[in-house]
Amino acid sequence: MDPYKYLNIRFNPDGSLTRNGAARLLPPAPAGETVDGVNGPARRIVHSNDAPLNDANGTTVRLFVPSGPGVGDGGGRLPLVLYFHGGGYVLFRAASEPFHNTCTALAATIPAVVASVDYRLAPEHRLPAAFEDAADAVRWVRSYAAGCRPLFLMGSHAGASIAFRAALAAVDEGVELRGLILNQPHHGGVKRTAAEESSVDDRVLPLPANDLLWELALPLGADRDHEYCNPETMLAGVEAARLRRLPPCLVLGRMKDPPRDRQRTLVEALQKAGVTVEAKLDGAGYHAMELFKEDRAAEFIAQVTDFVRRHAGAGSDVHAGRSRL
């Protein structure tokens, strides 16, 4: 197969990429979007706005703020979820319809303030650009958490790997995290795992397309054993004492997701280091199914909602309290 054709992209002579199949970009909705409860009867309004992150890099954050039943009655402060979207470091934006909708649903259902980072994409900005943007976002979010708003970091797919590095940056800077949510973290390596070998014609992430995404994202000349790709290489450079400072982690996976073997490697390393890990790696279906299957989306939102509510901590009522930004 031609992975460029499959991904509907074209590599240009100047090193940029033409993304012909990009998902529709949705504008922010400051007046609010009405959201029916994903797993309940509550109907809430979610207001969204874009805020600058780093003007020099052209990065922004899209904020999702809920209001409505059960939000704003008890005077507490809602959790804040700092979110990183997926797309292999190459595709999608914070405004891309699937991820905008995911953040809207999370904000309404938990309820929580969700801050979705519009980080720089490869190959125009190869790794570690996205990780640097994540560190910017951690510094930015400190003023909103302000020591009294329960703070969670979360990412989907490649965004989960960004969230992991953001969490390390956060604990290094003394930022208190209540939880880390890694949804189908995207990793790779030169030597194929059994799951990767069987994914040549995967219906969502076929092996040639997966390889191309890594080729476009990694530093020039790097192979898939680079620390930005291979979790074993990455973890070899992180001391166990540093890992132990991470908050409780929720790691989600799917039985037919090509990176699933490497997700287990990550979970085992975290557990060995003493991190509290809730691993649910046997979800039904393929990579990123929660973006285009309603039943998988409802399951995913429920899993994240349960985790955030349980870990928001004493003194924070996640069911009541107007979020104040």
Side-chain angles (χ1 to χ4, degrees):
M1 66 170 292
D2 181 348
Y4 283 95
K5 184 176 180 180
Y6 177 82
L7 295 170
N8 204 2
I9 58 176
R10 184 179 74 248
F11 191 76
N12 300 316
D14 65 357
S16 66
L17 202 67
T18 299
R19 299 166 175 84
N20 296 306
R24 184 164 65 114
L25 298 179
L26 299 182
E33 301 171 73
T34 300
V35 182
D36 291 320
V38 176
N39 295 288
R43 171 173 286 191
R44 292 177 174 142
I45 306 297
V46 176
H47 310 267
S48 54
N49 283 286
D50 293 334
L53 177 59
N54 185 318
D55 290 336
N57 291 332
T59 52
T60 59
V61 174
R62 178 160 291 189
L63 291 164
F64 299 82
V65 184
S67 63
V71 181
D73 300 328
R77 305 197 79 189
L78 295 182
L80 173 58
V81 179
L82 184 61
Y83 179 83
F84 300 91
H85 66 80
Y89 305 104
V90 171
L91 305 172
F92 299 113
R93 305 280 302 276
S96 295
E97 187 170 19
F99 294 106
H100 174 99
N101 290 343
T102 293
C103 291
T104 300
L106 287 169
T109 306
I110 294 172
V113 175
V114 178
S116 180
V117 181
D118 195 40
Y119 55 85
R120 290 171 292 171
L121 298 178
E124 294 88 348
H125 304 281
R126 291 176 178 267
L127 294 175
F131 304 145
E132 294 166 351
D133 296 341
D136 282 345
V138 167
R139 290 186 285 270
W140 174 89
V141 84
R142 293 183 73 166
S143 63
Y144 290 93
C148 59
R149 184 192 295 279
L151 176 59
F152 295 79
L153 267 57
M154 175 179 176
S156 290
H157 323 133
S161 299
I162 299 173
F164 181 82
R165 289 179 175 272
L168 290 174
V171 298
D172 287 345
E173 296 191 17
V175 178
E176 181 185 356
L177 301 177
R178 299 293 181 87
L180 173 60
I181 303 161
L182 306 177
N183 177 37
Q184 302 163 70
H186 186 206
H187 294 289
V190 171
K191 185 178 179 180
R192 307 292 191 193
T193 66
E196 290 165 349
E197 287 181 340
S198 66
S199 71
V200 173
D201 56 355
D202 183 84
R203 62 190 301 176
V204 177
L205 191 61
L207 189 59
N210 198 5
D211 285 351
L212 176 59
L213 289 172
W214 283 118
E215 180 183 333
L216 294 172
L218 289 169
L220 289 173
D223 64 22
R224 294 189 307 276
D225 280 338
H226 193 279
E227 64 173 297
Y228 298 157
C229 178
N230 190 319
E232 295 183 66
T233 310
M234 174 188 70
L235 291 165
V238 182
E239 294 180 357
R242 190 177 176 212
L243 287 177
R244 279 196 295 273
R245 295 164 60 197
L246 291 173
C249 297
L250 173 65
V251 185
L252 302 176
R254 298 198 179 279
M255 290 186 290
K256 295 183 179 180
D257 190 13
R260 61 188 178 271
D261 294 332
R262 301 190 191 275
Q263 293 161 7
R264 295 187 185 279
T265 296
L266 176 62
V267 166
E268 290 167 2
L270 292 175
Q271 291 173 330
K272 184 178 180 180
V275 179
T276 300
V277 181
E278 298 178 31
K280 301 180 179 180
L281 303 180
D282 294 323
Y286 296 84
H287 183 77
M289 280 196 73
E290 73 280 358
L291 297 179
F292 47 89
K293 292 287 187 180
E294 288 188 9
D295 57 341
R296 299 282 77 85
E299 176 188 54
F300 167 68
I301 296 296
Q303 290 170 324
V304 175
T305 295
D306 173 69
F307 180 83
V308 172
R309 288 181 177 178
R310 285 188 288 109
H311 291 280
S316 293
D317 182 359
V318 302
H319 300 286
R322 181 176 304 279
S323 53
R324 298 184 293 274
L325 291 180

